[in-house]
Amino acid sequence: VCSSGLIVEDLQHDTTERKRTEGQLKLATEKLQEAQDKLITSEKHTSLVRFSSGIAHEIRNPLANICAIDQVINQKKIDPKLKKQVKYILLNTDIANKIIKDLLNFASPYDADFTAADIGKSVNSLYSLVKTRCSRKTIQLSKKIAKNLPKVLLNEEKLKTAFSNFVSNAIEAMEDGGKLRITVDKNELSKEVIVTFEDTGVGISEEDKDKILEPFFTTKDEGTGLGLSMAYHVICAHSGKINIESV
């Protein structure tokens, strides 16, 4: 009986040990997969950064020439109908310049100075900037910022640009008005700051959920599809991460 008891006890110990080892192996595999995904994303981003930066600089020079010629023509006495067409040239060069600006912003999210600061102040500043815009779109904007937030290393200008992209997407998802709530909280254990943008918009389809942070992906008729991708890389540059939930 004693011998049997010892064998059963050893088997139970072996089972527990095996389960613990399997758990550790599963966790290690998940971490390896996560690291691999981040590496692939990083390599894709690096390639796109070089491509975007190169294209932007190559296009900027001929556009500057077009603008200069357009301005010269506008100063001359020409047929009013022709002058109207010339104005369309300038209008479209402005659109192209906006795209170039987006490309250059996308190409340089890491090129910034970081200082220890209160992220709540950045969100307060953002709130003041977008309040009127939300009001015009009949969107109720609210915020809740926790007190005594831990200071984090940040670049306020880059971060506000990233946050502005989240706000813009929320506004565009609420064509008939709605609610947008921005909250800033802290995780006492990890000392992390959590910024949440929550809206009552149409939501994101399941098939698009994994794509919306990719460069050049967009479901809109207009736009470069770089806004959220740029925001993602700015957050990464701040050693942060983005979680997306949609109903």
Side-chain angles (χ1 to χ4, degrees):
V1 174
C2 288
S3 176
S4 298
L6 284 171
I7 292 169
V8 171
E9 191 176 338
D10 285 342
L11 284 172
Q12 287 174 341
H13 174 74
D14 288 346
T15 303
T16 304
E17 185 64 27
R18 188 175 69 249
K19 284 182 178 178
R20 189 174 71 83
T21 305
E22 285 174 353
Q24 289 175 336
L25 184 61
K26 185 181 178 182
L27 184 63
T29 304
E30 287 173 357
K31 284 185 176 179
L32 183 63
Q33 184 63 52
E34 187 181 341
Q36 187 178 11
D37 290 343
K38 281 183 178 179
L39 182 62
I40 291 169
T41 302
S42 177
E43 287 176 350
K44 281 170 67 179
H45 175 250
T46 302
S47 299
L48 281 166
V49 161
R50 291 189 190 128
F51 171 77
S52 300
S53 182
I55 288 291
H57 287 296
E58 288 295 324
I59 295 173
R60 179 170 269 179
N61 289 332
L63 269 180
N65 293 334
I66 292 169
C67 286
I69 294 166
D70 184 85
Q71 286 167 4
V72 169
I73 293 171
N74 266 315
Q75 289 170 2
K76 296 183 179 294
K77 289 183 180 180
I78 57 173
D79 183 88
K81 287 183 180 178
L82 183 59
K83 200 160 190 172
K84 190 178 179 181
Q85 296 300 318
V86 171
K87 281 185 180 178
Y88 281 121
I89 295 174
L90 195 59
L91 180 67
N92 281 280
T93 53
D94 285 342
I95 293 169
N97 274 317
K98 167 69 169 62
I99 294 169
I100 287 172
K101 188 179 177 183
D102 287 345
L103 283 168
L104 290 172
N105 283 335
F106 169 72
S108 60
Y110 295 91
D111 184 21
D113 295 323
F114 293 80
T115 54
D118 182 352
I119 206 169
K121 290 181 180 178
S122 298
V123 172
N124 266 323
S125 178
L126 172 76
Y127 180 86
S128 300
L129 285 171
V130 300
K131 194 174 181 180
T132 305
R133 187 179 169 197
C134 286
S135 181
R136 275 199 233 107
K137 297 282 187 178
T138 62
I139 292 169
Q140 296 176 36
L141 179 66
S142 62
K143 65 177 168 68
K144 185 180 179 182
I145 300 174
K147 295 179 180 179
N148 302 318
L149 290 167
K151 287 190 175 183
V152 294
L153 283 173
L154 59 86
N155 179 283
E156 189 172 8
E157 186 182 343
K158 293 278 185 186
L159 206 55
K160 274 203 298 192
T161 301
F163 288 168
S164 292
N165 277 300
F166 299 136
V167 170
S168 293
N169 269 54
I171 291 171
E172 287 163 9
M174 297 183 283
E175 291 183 3
D176 300 319
K179 295 178 181 178
L180 172 59
R181 181 177 173 82
I182 307 171
T183 58
V184 186
D185 210 344
K186 58 186 173 181
N187 185 318
E188 294 289 357
L189 290 174
S190 64
K191 302 299 180 187
E192 288 177 318
V193 176
I194 304 158
V195 184
T196 306
F197 296 85
E198 186 178 6
D199 65 71
T200 57
V202 293
I204 307 159
S205 69
E206 201 61 39
E207 61 183 81
D208 290 344
K209 199 173 171 183
D210 294 331
K211 302 175 190 173
I212 62 169
L213 298 177
E214 290 181 5
F216 307 109
F217 176 80
T218 181
T219 57
K220 304 166 195 168
D221 294 332
E222 295 179 1
T224 56
L226 286 171
L228 285 181
S229 180
M230 185 198 72
Y232 168 70
H233 290 292
V234 167
I235 300 302
C236 287
H238 283 77
S239 300
K241 58 190 174 208
I242 296 179
N243 295 322
I244 301 167
E245 293 178 18
S246 181
V247 178

